[in-house]
Amino acid sequence: MKSITQMLVMMILVVGFGSAVEVLRPRGVPLSKRQFYEEDKPFTCLDGSRTIPFDRVNDDYCDCKDGSDEPGTAACPNASFHCTNSGYRPTFIPSSRINDGICDCCDTTDEYNSGAKCENTCRDLGRKEQEVLQKMAEITKEGFLLKQQLIQEGKNGQQEKQNKLNELQNSKKELEEKVEALRTTVKETAEQPEKEAKERHLKAWEEQKAAVQAEKDKNKMAEAFLELDDDADGLVSVVELQSHMELDSDADGSVSEAEAQALLGGVDRVDTAAFESVWSNIKDKYVSESQPVDAAPADATPEEIKEPVTDNDSDQYPNDEDLPEEEEDEEDEDDDYPEEDAPPTARTPEKKDENEEAMPPYDDATQALIDGAQKARENFEESERALRDMDDQIRNIEKEISFDFGPEGEFSYLYSQCYELTTSEYIYRLCPFNRVSQKPKYGGSETNLGTWGTWAGPESNKYLVMKYEHGTGCWQGPNRSTTVKLTCGKETVVTSTSEPSRCEYLMEFITPAVCQEPSSTDPQRNHDEF
Amino acid sequence: MFSFLLFRMGLLLGLCVFFLLGGVWAVDRGNFKTCNQSAFCKRQRALKPGQSSYRALLDTLELSDSRLTLQLINDNNKVHLLLELYRLQGNITRVKINELKPLKPRFEVPDVLIGEPPTEPLSVLSRDDNGLVLSLGVESQRLIVSARPFRLDIMEGPEVLLSLNSRGLLAFEHLRLPKEPQLHCQSAEGGGKDKEEDGLWEETFKSHTDSKPNGPTAVSLDFSLPGVEHVYGIPEHADNLKLKTTDGGEPYRLYNLDVFQYELYNPMALYGAVPVMLAHNTQRTMGIFWLNAAETWVDISSNTAGKTVFGKMLDFVQGSSETPQTDVRWISESGIIDVFIMLGPKPSDVFTQYASLTGTQSFPPLTGLAYHQCRWNYNDQDDVKAVDEGFDQHDIPCDFIWLDIEHTDGKRYFTWDPHKFPQPKDMLQGIKDKRRKMVAIVDPHIKVDSGYKIHNEIRDKNFYVKNKDGGDYEGWCWPGNSGYPDFTNPEMRAWWASMFAYDQYEGSMENLYTWNDMNEPSVFNGPEVTMHKDAMHGHWEHRDVHNLYGLYVQHRATAEGQIQRSGGTERPFVLTRAFFAGSQRYGAVWTGDNAAEWDHLKISVPMCLSLGLVGISLCGADVGGFFKSPSAELLVRWYQTGAYQPFFRAHAHLDTPRREPWLFGPENTALIREAIRQRYALLPYWYQQFYQAHKTGQPVMRALWVEYPKDTATFTIDDEFLIGRDLLVHTVTEEGARGVTAYLPGLGEVWYDVHTFQKHNGAQNLYIPVTMSSIPVFQRGGSIIPRKVRVRRSSECMENDPYTLFVALSPQRVAEGELYIDDGHTFNFQTKKEFIHRGLSFVNNVLTSKYSNFSTKSWIEKVLILGASKPSKVTLKMDETSVDFEFDASMSVLTLRKPGMNAGADWAVVLL
């Protein structure tokens, strides 16, 4: 439209501190570029591509490729318009927003010919921004102080950890030596004599058992001889033997003469002395005539004997009581020490006591050796346990130390802490450097929204965003993950959660640890340019 | 947006085990019927070509001025049919066949025709015992009625254009009493007695039994098209533009269905159905409009296809075996035969003819042609605000933000989730302040909940569809147990429309528009995920009206509601998924739940082209793909394609990662921004194309053969298309493409690359190297296209902006075009004739613009003349002022600097 295509030079009224200054320049030109737009001189496009008469500046037709001839109209697609926004922040808007019926500049200068009713809101905005900035500055200031503390605490903590680690590593060395020493002690000094004493004891007992057995055997033979010697002539004959069907060695249903003779060593009869060798051949088969239905005593061995029941008190295992406060990671380690460290076996024989053939109790000397060895073992095990605990501690500390807690360790205080936020449906839980989870408020199981992945902020400051990944999978979707955005504040608190995209969560987290040092020139930077 | 929620729901219902069986990303074919599983289709398809049992009783002929009636008799069962023939104005012949005396009335489709079509006189030219010859008025066209067997041939001069029942496949299953011993009407002709199990009176598919109180009611008819090798249309199918022969395979099916993860290149039914087929050869274009809303199957066979594949098997084809011929057969489950034969002869004539029957494309508000940002779902008001701001931050234009089902209070449409959207008006006002709009979804299934006002009113007014036993029909959909309002009832529609009034639809404002999804209707636990055929709409079975349901939902129900709320002044904008013939009158359609795959991007072109051929121009596909997640490359290419398709909306499934245009890195953001900007710059042209579509019924997105009907090279092209006549688009739909080969049609014509202005000759295959920023688009030499190159954040912001005219000269150094301007959103263009419609022409070095009766603030900022030579001087004729210009000799582009005349004024620019 021709009416708006005239050269528009506007008058800018800048309200400073009590003084008014008029600055003439073409519409949409920032003061910093004013010198390029000199009235009555040909205008050279700012990219130098061409020179046009000055009346073609802001004539609502795009002549320059870079759009610089139309800073105050919408004619060039790539141009931008400068709003002075007195009282607030000056800004550039794309020139497509000039006269589009929408108020973009708070000083209304972008809508000079659209009929849009815009109100100058710059002062309001400026005041509000001022307030916000003030508040922010205060928060930042306090936050930054807190951060210094956190840094100090972090450093101290880190130092402590390092010291502890060194200490532990030293103690570990000692402990290792001790364990080695104990191992030797147990093996050589305590277990060897114990073993020998036990063996001695066992041997004596076994010899005794053999003697008893031999005696029993002899008695049995005598009984058998008497039984067999039906005619009581002091000799066992072939005929006498033939009545014992169990001795039917060829299983033809009868004990033939030849079989009986063979059993008697090729003679027709034997006396008591010769019966000894016969007996040894037949004693396993021989059935006593006086006990026709034998209760098969061999099978009657009491049940208990089969399975020595070890009263397996698990209390005796190395356990948690002296582990450090960290409890999360130990599960897997428990299993590294299988049941070989079984409880003392010395107790088990007592259990077999009912058996008539039970081993007699150890004599005092042997028992003393056993007790000594047991004690040594326990010592050894305890030391080993202590060593493992120490390893755990070292691992935990090393793990903690290995986290990137920020350039000055300011995030270290978040370690092993958890922060919750309750919404209408869920309780969200952020455990920094560990995991994020979600639990329905009214029952239901917890869902893992991601475990600690990495710092993921912009290049300028990666410590503004945390990324938690590989949470519980979604139907037809990715594994859940959470992005945690950190902003400066005095407290440490989760302020909001959302799920902008299915299974991709966003959490806002306030912490002093990201508070920047307030710049000394602030906060009065929002002035008009001069 | 049928989704995994269905999956969940399916589990709940215990009927969707099929989803668990692998192949998550493919349709479960077993869930949908094949022809063999649809009793009437199986029955009818078993009927082989041969001697028809139907005979015309010539002595029953009655001829009034415009109507001829004649009885037909089926010699097998002696049932009489009544044939009605009409000659309609505009070269259309209507053939209606019904029972002479049906036991009760058979369903005739209402509300699709815009009125009783005006007729023309018919006269009998000659008559004997074998038949009669009727004059069809113009151009020596005759209609020959053969008596024994019955057959119709439409001839022009010595040529047969089209024949009916030439293969003897006319079948009309008459109504009968259940007890009647089965006479084995025509359908059982070849089969003898072994057809008892054919599902005449009852039919079961999967766990659903269809009680068929009316027994068999199918109708069928064959059409022969001598000289035709290319047929198109009968959407909606995810298939190529040119229809394939169905011999040995499934017929194309028309039955509105909510198909979960549909497959491509396949004749399965989809969400919408338009029973219109176009037949084309270099001499003539014709159309067949089979007006029947029941489940319909279409068989296509071709002797040329047969020759290459099956040799002589198809020797039943009448006439010389050397003449190519296509045979088509329509089979519908109920209703009557009511066919409109549109005789062309030009493609544009067929469009005019079809529009004269069912109306033209609604003229959308200009904003509806701009960019739409949708997602299932924008979570809450803050999310909406952030997305709105995201567009401004990234300087990307956007007109609409859409809300899917999650915005409602528990899937109760017309309500808002009280936690996520507590202040909908604040949200809408915020969007309005940016001169943008919103759309909220309103689906036609209503939660059965006595605490829900809409449900209570529908129930109390007895407006629900009934089940076969007379109770309210209930099925499962998003809200769980749902009722389905009977949109075929005009009172129901009027009531529904009234629900869009600002005082009824709480939280709505004038910049809130509507989206009707799931209106096939989708019934999760129904047979084939839709309504039981024996459900009742008043007197009629759902079987009769199925394909109409979606049209009614969008019809006076929703679109009319939007008109009414404004007091009749504002044009509505309603998107629908289901549609039927006539749906073009009510708004936009989209291709449903596609997927983020290259093939789905590719298929969007033929799918929308097919819809354009049958009147539905405002078509689009979900940009980016609904299911799955697109790569950045696919997303960019999809934006570049969508920017040149009529309805331009990005949409995404609930389970996919966010994909607003700025989430793929600065380079891709810039590429997407540029694609959307190209769309906005071209909005004046799009808008005027839709004005034309509204006035004339010509498609906006056009198959090449429509404009180049004699060029056989264009007949199967469906990877490029025209917008109107003047823009040719070949978007890039291949992953990693380095170039595309575009066919530039038109011997002796020239085309100008719209980006470089380079000129190319027509009638050639042109290889175009492409980069990620390339969108190959060409302007036809001889055309003038207006653009608004000052792209702003929404179309409304651009209302008063000036135009740049792109004058692309033909080799004869002439060009013409037009400029259409109105207020962009009211009916005043119609009711008050408030519009500017100027003819622009460039002849003899003078560019002129004439006629208008509306005013605009827009002016002509710039004129580019492509293919020009350098003038010595350029003047404005009205005041003889001279116009500055620049001439680029390398591309022969003359740029007139700021001629400045008002876009509504008479003017002329002279090149000296």
Side-chain angles (χ1 to χ4, degrees):
Chain A
M1 219 180 195
K2 286 233 155 172
S3 60
I4 61 157
T5 62
Q6 289 118 27
M7 227 284 289
L8 293 161
V9 175
M10 67 175 295
M11 196 172 67
I12 307 281
L13 189 67
V14 180
V15 183
F17 297 95
S19 66
V21 187
E22 287 177 8
V23 183
L24 285 173
R25 53 192 150 128
R27 194 192 296 273
V29 175
L31 270 173
S32 60
K33 291 197 177 145
R34 182 182 148 216
Q35 73 266 25
F36 302 119
Y37 296 84
E38 282 192 64
E39 208 177 339
D40 301 327
K41 280 191 188 168
F43 173 75
T44 301
C45 304
L46 297 187
D47 64 359
S49 57
R50 67 191 290 192
T51 299
I52 55 173
F54 193 76
D55 64 4
R56 292 194 172 180
V57 171
N58 275 346
D59 73 336
D60 207 17
Y61 185 91
C62 191
D63 292 284
C64 295
K65 280 212 169 75
D66 66 353
S68 56
D69 63 315
E70 298 295 317
T73 79
C76 294
N78 50 349
S80 54
F81 176 87
H82 183 261
C83 318
T84 306
N85 289 348
S86 260
Y88 188 54
R89 266 176 293 160
T91 184
F92 287 95
I93 60 168
S95 61
S96 67
R97 295 181 192 171
I98 299 169
N99 290 326
D100 69 347
I102 299 166
C103 310
D104 289 285
C105 300
C106 64
D107 65 3
T108 76
T109 52
D110 61 317
E111 296 298 314
Y112 58 84
N113 195 32
S114 70
K117 292 193 178 77
C118 301
E119 276 176 46
N120 189 323
T121 55
C122 291
R123 285 183 164 277
D124 264 7
L125 287 171
R127 197 167 46 242
K128 273 180 199 149
E129 189 189 49
Q130 202 65 36
E131 285 165 15
V132 170
L133 284 175
Q134 206 94 41
K135 208 173 237 171
M136 276 305 298
E138 278 165 33
I139 289 171
T140 307
K141 205 171 141 195
E142 285 181 55
F144 188 70
L145 284 177
L146 287 169
K147 181 181 175 179
Q148 299 314 306
Q149 281 179 26
L150 293 176
I151 290 171
Q152 200 48 52
E153 281 168 22
K155 271 187 188 143
N156 295 345
Q158 195 77 355
Q159 194 54 53
E160 256 171 50
K161 297 265 156 56
Q162 193 59 54
N163 293 344
K164 181 88 196 277
L165 186 63
N166 294 342
E167 196 181 297
L168 282 169
Q169 272 160 347
N170 288 336
S171 324
K172 183 184 166 186
K173 232 173 256 162
E174 283 171 30
L175 198 55
E176 274 171 347
E177 284 164 16
K178 185 177 165 198
V179 167
E180 269 324 295
L182 279 172
R183 195 192 305 280
T184 319
T185 311
V186 168
K187 279 208 179 122
E188 292 172 7
T189 322
E191 287 191 333
Q192 195 56 37
E194 179 201 30
K195 195 179 160 197
E196 286 166 10
K198 273 183 169 175
E199 277 169 3
R200 267 198 310 277
H201 180 83
L202 191 66
K203 205 175 164 197
W205 177 52
E206 265 163 10
E207 280 166 5
Q208 192 192 341
K209 271 201 296 188
V212 169
Q213 190 61 37
E215 187 60 27
K216 274 188 188 168
D217 210 25
K218 209 171 183 178
N219 291 344
K220 248 187 180 171
M221 181 179 74
E223 276 169 36
F225 188 88
L226 288 176
E227 270 178 22
L228 281 171
D229 185 15
D230 291 337
D231 53 4
D233 61 350
L235 296 169
V236 172
S237 65
V238 168
V239 179
E240 284 164 341
L241 219 51
Q242 273 178 299
S243 65
H244 278 259
M245 293 305 292
E246 72 270 21
L247 301 178
D248 173 19
S249 54
D250 63 358
D252 64 350
S254 66
V255 181
S256 65
E257 228 170 279
E259 278 176 272
Q261 208 162 23
L263 285 171
L264 293 180
V267 296
D268 287 345
R269 60 204 54 176
V270 291
D271 60 7
T272 347
F275 186 70
E276 249 178 78
S277 60
V278 174
W279 176 242
S280 65
N281 283 337
I282 64 170
K283 66 178 176 188
D284 292 337
K285 291 180 187 166
Y286 179 79
V287 178
S288 165
E289 288 159 19
S290 61
Q291 301 168 276
V293 189
D294 195 298
D299 290 343
T301 321
E303 289 271 311
E304 306 88 275
I305 210 163
K306 284 187 191 164
E307 191 86 8
V309 177
T310 56
D311 187 7
N312 204 344
D313 277 356
S314 50
D315 299 358
Q316 301 176 47
Y317 284 81
N319 219 327
D320 308 340
E321 60 255 54
D322 27 30
L323 280 182
E325 75 282 1
E326 286 311 312
E327 296 186 359
E328 282 95 340
D329 301 316
E330 66 196 49
E331 280 175 56
D332 15 63
E333 283 146 48
D334 267 353
D335 298 334
D336 293 346
Y337 303 95
E339 324 250 332
E340 287 157 13
D341 293 341
T345 47
R347 288 169 61 188
T348 52
E350 296 163 12
K351 291 274 181 176
K352 293 191 199 167
D353 274 357
E354 291 100 84
N355 191 315
E356 43 167 344
E357 289 176 5
M359 188 170 70
Y362 293 118
D363 59 72
D364 288 351
T366 306
Q367 191 57 48
L369 283 172
I370 289 171
D371 291 346
Q374 181 59 23
K375 193 136 194 267
R377 264 194 297 275
E378 280 167 12
N379 276 339
F380 170 66
E381 277 155 15
E382 197 181 314
S383 308
E384 259 195 339
R385 205 153 52 227
L387 184 58
R388 280 199 299 277
D389 292 349
M390 197 169 280
D391 274 337
D392 286 345
Q393 286 188 54
I394 288 171
R395 253 198 305 279
N396 284 325
I397 292 173
E398 277 174 346
K399 185 179 164 198
E400 188 175 343
I401 288 176
S402 74
F403 277 108
D404 178 357
F405 288 131
E408 299 179 276
E410 61 268 42
F411 297 100
S412 62
Y413 80 104
L414 299 173
Y415 189 75
S416 80
Q417 303 294 311
C418 291
Y419 302 89
E420 285 190 350
L421 177 75
T422 304
T423 66
S424 56
E425 279 177 86
Y426 296 104
I427 298 166
Y428 291 87
R429 190 172 154 96
L430 165 66
C431 303
F433 304 104
N434 186 2
R435 69 201 289 262
V436 182
S437 60
Q438 175 201 51
K439 199 175 172 170
K441 212 163 154 186
Y442 307 107
S445 58
E446 190 181 82
T447 306
N448 181 355
L449 304 186
T451 50
W452 167 250
T454 177
W455 290 105
E459 257 173 58
S460 56
N461 184 1
K462 68 172 179 170
Y463 299 101
L464 291 176
V465 177
M466 291 172 155
K467 189 88 190 158
Y468 293 81
E469 298 157 325
H470 311 301
T472 312
C474 278
W475 186 82
Q476 285 205 354
N479 286 335
R480 287 175 176 77
S481 63
T482 303
T483 300
V484 180
K485 281 191 180 169
L486 281 64
T487 45
C488 164
K490 289 184 277 186
E491 294 160 304
T492 302
V493 60
V494 177
T495 54
S496 79
T497 62
S498 57
E499 189 182 357
S501 194
R502 197 74 163 171
C503 303
E504 291 176 13
Y505 295 81
L506 178 67
M507 201 169 245
E508 304 271 354
F509 186 52
I510 286 181
T511 164
V514 293
C515 293
Q516 297 292 318
E517 183 169 16
S519 64
S520 48
T521 53
D522 256 23
Q524 302 289 341
R525 52 163 269 284
N526 62 323
H527 272 306
D528 303 319
E529 34 177 304
F530 280 100
Chain B
M1 30 141 287
F2 189 93
S3 79
F4 87 101
L5 275 183
L6 166 54
F7 167 75
R8 286 190 197 148
M9 197 154 289
L11 286 178
L12 281 173
L13 295 165
L15 56 79
C16 293
V17 183
F18 58 91
F19 283 130
L20 295 171
L21 308 169
V24 178
W25 291 114
V27 66
D28 188 302
R29 292 189 185 203
N31 212 23
F32 301 100
K33 288 183 184 179
T34 61
C35 176
N36 251 337
Q37 290 168 319
S38 196
F40 78 93
C41 186
K42 183 182 181 187
R43 215 157 57 222
Q44 294 290 336
R45 221 186 181 199
L47 180 59
K48 297 297 176 208
Q51 185 86 338
S52 175
S53 57
Y54 287 93
R55 187 158 51 86
L57 304 174
L58 294 179
D59 50 359
T60 62
L61 182 142
E62 287 177 37
L63 178 64
S64 69
D65 193 26
S66 60
R67 174 175 185 258
L68 178 146
T69 61
L70 192 59
Q71 289 180 25
L72 308 179
I73 185 168
N74 180 345
D75 280 329
N76 288 345
N77 58 17
K78 306 301 174 201
V79 172
H80 286 244
L81 303 179
L82 182 69
L83 167 75
E84 294 174 76
L85 288 172
Y86 300 87
R87 173 69 181 171
L88 304 182
Q89 283 179 18
N91 206 13
I92 305 168
T93 298
R94 181 179 193 178
V95 179
K96 255 175 111 165
I97 302 175
N98 197 350
E99 289 181 57
L100 182 64
K101 288 175 184 161
L103 280 178
K104 55 182 183 178
R106 297 180 65 117
F107 185 70
E108 299 188 33
V109 177
D111 297 316
V112 167
L113 300 180
I114 51 175
E116 200 51 44
T119 55
E120 281 180 348
L122 269 175
S123 57
V124 177
L125 292 178
S126 67
R127 172 175 178 176
D128 62 21
D129 288 350
N130 297 321
L132 52 118
V133 179
L134 296 168
S135 163
L136 288 179
V138 292
E139 293 176 33
S140 68
Q141 279 181 4
R142 283 158 297 137
L143 175 63
I144 297 165
V145 182
S146 305
R148 189 185 295 262
F150 166 69
R151 163 179 174 143
L152 296 176
D153 293 276
I154 295 174
M155 305 199 52
E156 185 172 289
E159 260 181 279
V160 176
L161 301 181
L162 174 142
S163 309
L164 283 73
N165 201 30
S166 51
R167 291 193 295 154
L169 296 170
L170 167 64
F172 205 106
E173 293 176 345
H174 63 282
L175 293 171
R176 62 203 78 181
L177 295 169
K179 298 282 185 279
E180 185 176 349
Q182 282 163 25
L183 289 173
H184 284 292
C185 62
Q186 57 287 347
S187 67
E189 186 167 78
K193 303 283 184 226
D194 57 345
K195 297 278 173 176
E196 302 298 327
E197 80 288 1
D198 261 5
L200 297 178
W201 294 93
E202 189 177 275
E203 176 174 355
T204 298
F205 177 67
K206 302 190 91 174
S207 61
H208 299 282
T209 297
D210 175 14
S211 73
K212 295 174 149 184
N214 296 321
T217 55
V219 296
S220 158
L221 183 59
D222 66 278
F223 301 81
S224 292
L225 297 156
V228 170
E229 291 180 85
H230 294 84
V231 288
Y232 307 94
I234 53 168
E236 182 176 37
H237 299 100
D239 207 347
N240 288 107
L241 177 65
K242 178 190 183 299
L243 298 172
K244 294 163 183 153
T245 59
T246 59
D247 303 312
E250 285 290 293
Y252 283 95
R253 189 183 190 200
L254 294 172
Y255 191 57
N256 294 355
L257 290 176
D258 181 355
V259 181
F260 183 75
Q261 292 171 345
Y262 59 78
E263 257 179 56
L264 306 185
Y265 305 108
N266 152 339
M268 284 174 74
L270 286 181
Y271 314 94
V274 183
V276 175
M277 181 185 284
L278 272 61
H280 177 72
N281 62 25
T282 54
Q283 302 305 309
R284 179 179 285 272
T285 309
M286 293 183 291
I288 298 170
F289 171 27
W290 174 266
L291 181 51
N292 189 303
E295 180 184 343
T296 296
W297 299 78
V298 184
D299 258 324
I300 298 167
S301 59
S302 150
N303 62 347
T304 47
K307 268 175 191 161
T308 51
V309 185
F310 299 111
K312 294 169 190 156
M313 280 174 60
L314 303 174
D315 58 356
F316 58 81
V317 173
Q318 58 109 38
S320 159
S321 60
E322 296 308 309
T323 313
Q325 173 166 318
T326 297
D327 293 301
V328 180
R329 183 180 185 203
W330 298 72
I331 304 168
S332 291
E333 188 178 12
S334 67
I336 64 164
I337 293 172
D338 192 0
V339 196
F340 299 81
I341 296 154
M342 302 173 286
L343 290 168
K346 296 199 299 292
S348 59
D349 295 327
V350 176
F351 302 134
T352 305
Q353 287 153 5
Y354 181 62
S356 76
L357 298 171
T358 66
T360 59
Q361 174 66 52
S362 66
F363 189 27
L366 174 60
T367 186
L369 299 174
Y371 175 65
H372 300 257
Q373 180 68 40
C374 186
R375 171 173 185 84
W376 177 27
N377 212 97
Y378 286 118
N379 298 331
D380 50 30
Q381 285 180 218
D382 286 346
D383 197 2
V384 168
K385 193 171 175 219
V387 170
D388 173 60
E389 282 167 1
F391 279 97
D392 287 348
Q393 274 160 22
H394 298 91
D395 204 14
I396 298 172
C398 175
D399 268 46
F400 273 91
I401 296 176
W402 290 51
L403 296 177
D404 209 322
I405 52 173
E406 310 299 327
H407 84 277
T408 59
D409 181 8
K411 316 297 186 298
R412 294 172 187 86
Y413 305 106
F414 299 101
T415 70
W416 303 84
D417 183 301
H419 302 292
K420 297 171 183 165
F421 296 90
Q423 304 294 340
K425 282 194 178 177
D426 288 357
M427 172 182 68
L428 286 163
Q429 186 61 50
I431 295 297
K432 194 182 173 198
D433 290 344
K434 296 281 190 64
R435 308 185 80 175
R436 291 187 175 127
K437 326 278 190 288
M438 292 192 76
V439 166
I441 198 165
V442 175
D443 287 351
H445 51 260
I446 302 300
K447 184 177 174 75
V448 174
D449 168 11
S450 58
Y452 179 28
K453 184 186 90 168
I454 298 279
H455 162 71
N456 289 339
E457 287 204 34
I458 294 173
R459 189 198 49 207
D460 295 348
K461 291 176 193 293
N462 206 21
F463 280 160
Y464 276 126
V465 173
K466 301 286 182 267
N467 60 36
K468 67 177 163 44
D469 303 317
D472 285 348
Y473 178 89
E474 288 181 1
W476 281 76
C477 209
W478 298 123
N481 199 26
S482 305
Y484 291 77
D486 184 2
F487 285 91
T488 68
N489 175 353
E491 287 173 50
M492 160 62 209
R493 293 199 300 269
W495 175 83
W496 178 269
S498 73
M499 289 299 103
F500 288 89
Y502 297 121
D503 59 349
Q504 291 291 329
Y505 188 169
E506 279 177 43
S508 69
M509 278 177 42
E510 64 273 21
N511 65 334
L512 179 67
Y513 296 82
T514 308
W515 169 18
N516 293 147
D517 197 357
M518 318 297 281
N519 52 341
E520 294 76 22
S522 178
V523 181
F524 292 164
N525 59 339
E528 302 190 85
V529 201
T530 191
M531 191 172 276
H532 293 74
K533 283 176 173 170
D534 52 12
M536 296 300 291
H537 302 253
H539 300 309
W540 302 110
E541 282 192 286
H542 184 68
R543 185 186 329 278
D544 298 314
V545 305
H546 176 84
N547 283 347
L548 265 179
Y549 189 83
L551 175 145
Y552 277 130
V553 174
Q554 191 195 16
H555 183 200
R556 285 173 204 134
T558 301
E560 189 61 27
Q562 281 191 10
I563 296 170
Q564 280 175 18
R565 70 176 185 178
S566 71
T569 60
E570 295 290 322
R571 285 180 246 160
F573 182 81
V574 181
L575 176 71
T576 180
R577 192 170 70 181
F579 51 80
F580 189 64
S583 284
Q584 70 269 18
R585 306 200 293 267
Y586 309 111
V589 306
W590 95 107
T591 62
D593 299 346
N594 62 358
E597 292 173 356
W598 288 90
D599 277 350
H600 273 270
L601 168 59
K602 217 170 289 175
I603 206 86
S604 70
V605 176
M607 286 181 81
C608 281
L609 284 176
S610 293
L611 280 168
L613 291 176
V614 299
I616 298 177
S617 271
L618 193 42
C619 166
D622 285 346
V623 170
F626 178 67
F627 291 113
K628 304 176 82 174
S629 198
S631 65
E633 184 190 354
L634 175 57
L635 186 67
V636 167
R637 290 302 190 198
W638 212 316
Y639 269 100
Q640 292 173 337
T641 302
Y644 285 91
Q645 291 177 346
F647 174 56
F648 182 25
R649 182 185 74 151
H651 188 31
H653 189 278
L654 185 70
D655 283 321
T656 60
R658 292 290 281 245
R659 57 166 98 134
E660 283 68 48
W662 49 87
L663 295 176
F664 295 81
E667 273 180 40
N668 292 310
T669 303
L671 290 169
I672 294 171
R673 177 192 296 122
E674 173 56 23
I676 298 178
R677 282 187 173 177
Q678 287 185 25
R679 170 58 165 239
Y680 274 71
L682 206 52
L683 279 176
Y685 181 74
W686 277 107
Y687 192 53
Q688 108 198 356
Q689 293 310 309
F690 272 91
Y691 177 72
Q692 287 295 355
H694 175 66
K695 298 301 274 186
T696 69
Q698 303 301 305
V700 171
M701 185 171 159
R702 238 169 250 184
L704 264 63
W705 65 261
V706 168
E707 289 298 329
Y708 298 88
K710 293 191 184 306
D711 183 353
T712 54
T714 64
F715 290 4
T716 56
I717 290 178
D718 61 7
D719 57 354
E720 69 184 59
F721 56 90
L722 293 160
I723 302 169
R725 289 175 65 196
D726 300 335
L727 278 183
L728 178 85
V729 182
H730 187 121
T731 53
V732 183
T733 57
E734 299 279 349
E735 185 168 19
R738 299 291 183 83
V740 297
T741 302
Y743 179 71
L744 302 183
L747 193 60
E749 293 195 28
V750 293
W751 294 88
Y752 296 86
D753 184 312
V754 299
H755 309 295
T756 65
F757 306 133
Q758 193 178 346
K759 188 161 75 176
H760 302 282
N761 288 324
Q764 65 152 329
N765 281 304
L766 180 69
Y767 179 79
I768 307 150
V770 298
T771 63
M772 268 316 290
S773 64
S774 304
I775 314 177
V777 180
F778 301 87
Q779 182 177 348
R780 190 176 59 82
S783 66
I784 302 175
I785 287 180
R787 281 189 173 84
K788 284 188 174 179
V789 297
R790 303 181 178 191
V791 173
R792 303 194 190 244
R793 66 184 129 198
S794 73
S795 65
E796 197 181 313
C797 293
M798 295 162 64
E799 182 187 355
N800 296 324
D801 280 339
Y803 290 89
T804 295
L805 302 180
F806 289 76
V807 181
L809 297 185
S810 71
Q812 295 74 39
R813 298 180 51 78
V814 297
E816 57 180 19
E818 54 191 70
L819 183 58
Y820 176 84
I821 305 171
D822 63 16
D823 63 20
H825 57 95
T826 72
F827 284 108
N828 291 351
F829 77 97
Q830 209 163 45
T831 54
K832 300 181 182 167
K833 303 287 170 219
E834 288 181 357
F835 62 87
I836 293 166
H837 192 196
R838 304 197 66 88
L840 303 174
S841 70
F842 185 94
V843 183
N844 296 329
N845 281 339
V846 181
L847 176 64
T848 52
S849 164
K850 278 195 185 141
Y851 181 74
S852 69
N853 58 354
F854 182 58
S855 66
T856 177
K857 288 182 183 168
S858 297
W859 46 285
I860 307 299
E861 145 171 65
K862 193 195 280 198
V863 177
L864 279 86
I865 302 176
L866 316 181
S869 43
K870 187 177 183 179
S872 56
K873 194 182 176 199
V874 178
T875 61
L876 252 184
K877 213 174 186 180
M878 42 195 197
D879 53 4
E880 300 301 326
T881 53
S882 72
V883 176
D884 282 330
F885 64 87
E886 282 174 36
F887 184 71
D888 173 359
S890 68
M891 285 290 167
S892 304
V893 177
L894 176 68
T895 304
L896 308 187
R897 185 188 189 282
K898 208 181 176 190
M901 52 282 189
N902 183 279
D906 286 344
W907 51 263
V909 176
V910 184
L911 313 188
L912 298 169

